[in-house]
Amino acid sequence: MSLKLYFDLMSQPSRALYILLKKINYQFEPKYVDLRKAEHYSEEFTKINRIQRVPVIDHNGFILTESVAIYNYLSREGIIPDSLFPKESKQRARVEEFLEWHHIGLRLHCAMFFRVVYMDPILFNRKNTPDKVATYEGRMETSLEDFDTKWLGRGHDYVAGDSITVADLVAACELEQPRMAGYDPKKKYSNIATWYEKVRDHFNPYYDEAHVILNKVVAKQAKTAAKL
């Protein structure tokens, strides 16, 4: 195949790219990199991506890292349809505007909450203090409030306007991550809840396919919490 995708579905940007390629019916060779086994630090994978992160694509020998760069490249190559990543300058700028904000505005705080509340106790075998959890939850909720009101609460159906784009997929996959730490943004933010269902429906069945493992983790955590 001409496109290889190196990914792990526990990675938010990996899930988004996997779902996108499935949705547009673009054939690719899946190359699973198990983050839980630290395969991204292996010598073999480091030769592919010196930064040791997923996702990565290999398109006819051209290796590219960083998901936003990958989206832009696949769009220029005519692989992503204009409907999901517009080529028209102003429409595309709106998508890129969100993707630029997303890294620090949304991803940072959702990912850090997930890491502190879910991953650190597993990795370091220690419990978090309530104050520490509250600090990271507060930072995340500030970013969620911005997303709910300043991106979704502007009279448009989607992040970049009235049409669904890769920006929506990227954001939706990000908001799945804190669910594994017991926090579901849809339960507190009404704009997010309405928007999320539309994004999920648009990208299904692949959206649910990519989140099977994550949803199993969420269910297991909820079961454990109910026993406490």
Side-chain angles (χ1 to χ4, degrees), residues 16 19-20 23-24 80-87 91-92 94-96 98-99 147 152 156-173 192 194-204 207:
I19 293 165
L20 176 65
K23 177 65 178 180
I24 64 176
I80 301 178
D82 289 359
S83 59
L84 290 174
F85 205 150
K87 285 190 172 64
Q91 292 178 347
R92 187 182 191 91
R94 289 300 181 203
V95 175
E96 292 175 338
F98 175 78
L99 295 176
F147 181 63
L152 298 179
H156 298 291
D157 289 336
Y158 300 103
V159 169
D162 294 321
S163 298
I164 197 166
T165 67
V166 296
D168 298 284
L169 179 58
V170 168
C173 288
I192 288 176
T194 300
W195 159 86
Y196 169 86
E197 291 302 329
K198 290 186 289 188
V199 176
R200 180 187 174 201
D201 287 347
H202 182 86
F203 287 102
N204 259 338
Y207 191 93

Side-chain angles (χ1 to χ4, degrees), residues 1-7 9 14 17-32 56-59 79 206 209:
M1 293 183 180
S2 62
L3 182 69
K4 297 176 184 177
L5 173 65
Y6 295 82
F7 71 103
L9 292 179
S14 283
L17 189 54
Y18 175 92
I19 293 165
L20 176 65
L21 292 172
K22 288 278 191 173
K23 177 65 178 180
I24 64 176
N25 197 29
Y26 191 82
Q27 298 299 308
F28 64 94
E29 180 181 348
K31 306 288 283 186
Y32 179 60
V56 179
I57 63 166
D58 180 341
H59 186 222
I79 293 173
Y206 310 111
E209 175 187 317

